[in-house]
Amino acid sequence: MSRTVPQERFPELVAWMFPRMGHDDRENMIHIWQMVMPAPVFAGVEALIKKAIGSDWAELTRRIPTL
């Protein structure tokens, strides 16, 4: 997905997509991204996700304690 979205627009994608996803889909997407993104890149994406989902962040960290 990140290859088809221009890098400069990726924050917009995260802000649009993550609030619309259910918990299971969020968890799956994050696991995939953690596997394919270098740690420093994923750290930036993690911050975007946290901002996009607000109070749902607690549930996500319960599901993925490494966040």
Side-chain angles (χ1 to χ4, degrees):
M1 182 179 300
S2 62
R3 290 184 189 190
T4 60
V5 176
Q7 190 173 8
E8 68 275 3
R9 305 239 12 227
F10 193 74
E12 293 174 55
L13 171 75
V14 173
W16 175 84
M17 182 173 66
F18 268 79
R20 290 163 176 77
M21 296 170 81
H23 295 299
D24 292 338
D25 291 330
R26 288 175 182 167
E27 183 179 359
N28 290 332
M29 182 64 72
I30 287 172
H31 282 301
I32 292 166
W33 285 354
Q34 282 178 319
M35 287 187 293
V36 300
M37 291 180 178
V41 174
F42 181 77
V45 173
E46 183 178 339
L48 295 172
I49 295 167
K50 184 175 182 178
K51 181 179 177 184
I53 64 172
S55 62
D56 281 346
W57 182 252
E59 173 62 17
L60 198 55
T61 58
R62 186 190 70 72
R63 290 168 170 253
I64 309 172
T66 58
L67 288 179

